[in-house]
């Protein structure tokens, strides 16, 4: 009644190397045919029916996408998308090198971009994301409070030179006011993103040299965000993303803490391992820290210029009627994620009217119906209206992607 899956591994250059990668370790634990190459990066584990890399169904020699096309009744309440039968893609990420400064368009903008540039923006869907830390996880997310940005403009004259005196003055004039959307912030940020390469690289070179001297003299680098600056510049020398750190919140997540990345929110993952769930789409608008195509004009126009604190960017989960569950239920219809933590004994997973995907991060159990062993790295596709009962042999932590239509089962 449930199907074991083999996820698709993506070996992007920014992934953690060898068995330092949780992606690689989970794959090797859950798939006896998978061998870790200690010299290769393992960045993402895809679990789902995305046509670029659908999961394989163990024992059936077909992909999950093929199986769902042949047996749509397994889905229960269906959601039709051009990507197949599941409206979301479920992932594990292992980040060793910073990902791009990026944002995702809302549905209206996604449709417009796809219509105008189908070679770049491959589909008309939006791409909200949820990231849940599995290990200490570092990211940039959302614009800082204006007071923090203003302090950096004072302490980092190289940044102020790129922003420009007029824009700096406008931002300082807004301090203390209530600005859900800051026009001054948009002007300052756009000036940096759209600055000429020569001026940007000159000012950044001066800043990096100055920060290295401060570090050599054992001085405090916090006022110039020096440690992060040097880290990103070593990965992407001269890149505009090195100036973006003065605008975006630098967030460190503890395991279990989460970020929700809605439309038009600027962000970048910097380091660590996480669970990620997203709507099925390939739409990403980038502006730095990447060798891929940059669309700076589109990014500057689409962003949500709403200053918030780092703590406000954390996504608060809720409890369900099952005390073993923690629910990450974002304000979108495409997906939610449920964390399941069971210490021992017999356990019955929640039964849903729609299909779901479940990955075990740690522990061990046996499926009661067929005595099949579950361990870290096991991925299960659970069809609609299927009761999954297990006997927990070692304390388990698992994550489950579900459709939001099922969230009526949960209470805050």
């Amino acid at each position: 009644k449930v199907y074991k899956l083999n996820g698709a591994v993506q070996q992007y250059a920014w992934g953690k190397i060898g068995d330092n990668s949780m992606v690689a370790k989970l794959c090797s634990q859950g798939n006896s045919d998978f061998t870790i190459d200690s010299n290769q990066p393992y960045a993402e584990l895809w679990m789902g029916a995305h046509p670029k890399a659908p999961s394989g169904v163990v024992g059936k020699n077909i992909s999950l996408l093929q199986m769902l096309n042949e047996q749509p009744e397994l889905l229960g309440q269906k959601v039709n998308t051009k990507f197949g039968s599941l409206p979301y893609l479920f992932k594990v990420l292992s980040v060793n090198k910073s990902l791009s400064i990026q944002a995702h368009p809302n549905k209206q903008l996604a449709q417009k971009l796809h219509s105008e540039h189908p070679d770049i923006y491959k589909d008309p869907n939006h791409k909200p994301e949820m990231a849940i830390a599995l290990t200490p996880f570092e990211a940039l997310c959302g614009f800082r409070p204006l007071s923090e940005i203003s302090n950096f403009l004072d302490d980092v004259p190289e940044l102020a030179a790129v922003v420009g005196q007029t824009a700096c003055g406008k931002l300082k004039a807004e301090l203390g006011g209530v600005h859900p959307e800051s026009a001054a912030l948009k002007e300052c940020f756009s000036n940096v993103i759209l600055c000429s390469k020569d001026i940007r690289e000159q000012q950044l070179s001066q800043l990096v040299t100055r920060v290295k001297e401060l570090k050599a003299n054992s001085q405090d680098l916090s006022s110039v965000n020096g440690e992060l600056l040097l880290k990103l510049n070593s990965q992407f020398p001269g890149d505009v993303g090195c100036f973006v750190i003065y605008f975006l919140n630098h967030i460190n997540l503890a395991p279990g803490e989460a970020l929700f990345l809605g439309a038009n929110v600027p962000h970048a993952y910097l380091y660590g391992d996480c669970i990620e769930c997203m709507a099925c789409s390939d739409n990403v608008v980038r502006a730095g820290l990447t060798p891929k195509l940059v669309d700076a004009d589109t990014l500057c126009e689409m962003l949500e210029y709403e200053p918030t604190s780092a703590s406000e960017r954390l996504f608060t989960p809720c409890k369900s009627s099952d005390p073993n569950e923690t629910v990450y239920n974002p304000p979108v219809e495409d997906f939610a994620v449920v964390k399941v933590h069971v210490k021992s004994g017999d356990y019955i997973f929640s039964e849903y009217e729609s299909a779901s995907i479940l990955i075990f991060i740690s522990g061990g159990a046996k499926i009661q119906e067929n005595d099949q062993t579950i361990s870290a790295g096991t991925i299960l596709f659970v069809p609609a209206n299927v009761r999954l009962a297990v006997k927990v042999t070692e304390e388990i932590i698992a994550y489950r992607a579900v459709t939001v239509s099922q969230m009526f089962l949960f209470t805050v």
Side-chain angles (χ1 to χ4, degrees):
K1 291 183 179 180
V2 299
Y3 299 86
K4 185 177 179 182
L5 303 179
N6 285 330
V9 177
Q10 307 291 354
Q11 294 186 263
Y12 306 135
W14 50 261
K16 289 187 178 182
I17 306 299
D19 59 9
N20 289 318
S21 167
M22 184 170 287
V23 166
K25 287 190 286 189
L26 288 172
C27 286
S28 66
Q29 291 169 318
N31 181 358
S32 59
D33 294 329
F34 184 87
T35 302
I36 299 175
D37 185 330
S38 60
N39 298 313
Q40 292 297 313
Y42 297 91
E44 296 187 352
L45 173 62
W46 288 24
M47 300 169 285
H50 195 296
K52 280 191 173 180
S55 299
V57 182
V58 175
K60 292 180 70 71
N61 198 32
I62 60 172
S63 72
L64 179 60
L65 179 58
Q66 290 174 291
M67 186 175 78
L68 295 179
N69 286 336
E70 295 174 3
Q71 298 177 266
E73 67 276 7
L74 297 176
L75 287 164
Q77 181 179 334
K78 292 189 292 184
V79 180
N80 294 318
T81 75
K82 67 166 288 184
F83 290 91
S85 303
L86 290 171
Y88 57 79
L89 178 61
F90 200 29
K91 297 182 181 181
V92 179
L93 270 62
S94 291
V95 181
N96 189 52
K97 182 180 179 181
S98 304
L99 277 69
S100 59
I101 302 290
Q102 61 181 260
H104 306 144
N106 59 27
K107 285 188 176 181
Q108 182 179 5
L109 180 58
Q111 291 168 359
K112 180 176 182 291
L113 292 174
H114 176 63
S115 175
E116 295 175 350
H117 307 286
D119 55 326
I120 299 173
Y121 301 103
K122 307 291 188 181
D123 63 83
N125 199 22
H126 67 165
K127 192 185 178 185
E129 293 180 353
M130 173 74 72
I132 306 168
L134 294 173
T135 62
F137 193 78
E138 185 181 1
L140 299 173
C141 183
F143 285 104
R144 296 175 180 270
L146 295 186
S147 59
E148 292 185 15
I149 298 171
S150 178
N151 289 338
F152 281 130
L153 291 172
D154 290 336
D155 294 332
V156 186
E158 299 86 354
L159 171 65
V162 174
V163 170
Q165 183 177 358
T166 300
C168 287
K170 290 179 181 179
L171 187 138
K172 290 180 179 297
E174 285 193 0
L175 292 177
V178 179
H179 301 282
E181 285 281 340
S182 171
L185 175 56
K186 180 178 180 179
E187 183 174 345
C188 290
F189 184 79
S190 298
N191 285 357
V192 170
I193 296 296
L194 303 176
C195 178
S196 72
K197 182 179 179 182
D198 290 343
I199 294 175
R200 182 188 75 230
E201 290 185 346
Q202 178 188 13
Q203 293 296 330
L204 184 57
S205 177
Q206 292 176 10
L207 174 59
V208 169
T209 298
R210 183 165 68 87
V211 172
K212 286 181 177 178
E213 291 175 354
L214 292 174
K215 185 172 184 177
N217 292 322
S218 301
Q219 296 190 37
D220 182 16
L221 304 183
S222 58
S223 65
V224 294
N225 210 356
E227 293 293 351
L228 182 56
L229 171 74
L230 296 180
K231 172 184 174 180
L232 295 187
N233 189 68
S234 69
Q235 295 176 0
F236 298 92
D239 191 275
V240 68
C242 297
F243 277 132
V244 171
I245 65 173
Y246 299 109
F247 289 91
L248 303 188
N249 288 299
H250 184 201
I251 300 175
N252 289 282
L253 300 179
E257 291 185 324
L259 295 173
F260 172 66
L261 306 167
N264 306 326
V265 175
H267 62 276
Y269 297 154
L270 303 181
Y271 186 82
D273 304 275
C274 75
I275 286 286
E276 184 180 59
C277 197
M278 62 178 65
C280 278
S281 173
D282 294 322
N283 284 324
V284 178
V285 184
R286 301 178 179 88
L289 302 181
T290 179
K292 295 183 178 180
L293 176 70
V294 167
D295 190 350
D297 290 314
T298 298
L299 186 89
C300 289
E301 284 303 313
M302 69 183 276
L303 289 183
E304 170 193 274
Y305 291 94
E306 182 177 346
T308 58
S309 67
S311 61
E312 289 177 289
R313 285 293 169 183
L314 296 181
F315 185 85
T316 303
C318 59
K319 290 293 184 181
S320 82
S321 54
D322 181 342
N324 298 289
E325 293 182 338
T326 302
V327 182
Y328 301 82
N329 185 10
V332 293
E333 298 179 351
D334 307 79
F335 63 85
V337 178
V338 181
K339 178 183 178 181
V340 182
H341 184 185
V342 185
K343 292 186 176 181
S344 63
D346 295 336
Y347 180 71
I348 301 175
F349 285 84
S350 295
E351 184 177 327
Y352 299 134
E353 294 178 353
S354 296
S356 60
I357 295 177
L358 180 66
I359 180 170
F360 291 81
I361 302 300
S362 61
K366 287 191 175 182
I367 297 176
Q368 291 184 2
E369 185 177 69
N370 57 20
D371 214 33
Q372 181 179 352
T373 298
I374 294 170
S375 62
T378 297
I379 307 168
L380 299 177
F381 174 77
V382 184
N385 304 306
V386 165
R387 176 182 179 272
L388 174 59
V390 301
K391 183 175 183 62
V392 177
T393 55
E394 181 184 353
E395 183 175 355
I396 61 171
I397 294 178
Y399 286 86
R400 189 176 190 182
V402 300
T403 57
V404 176
S405 61
Q406 302 307 314
M407 291 298 100
F408 68 89
L409 297 173
F410 303 128
T411 57
V412 176

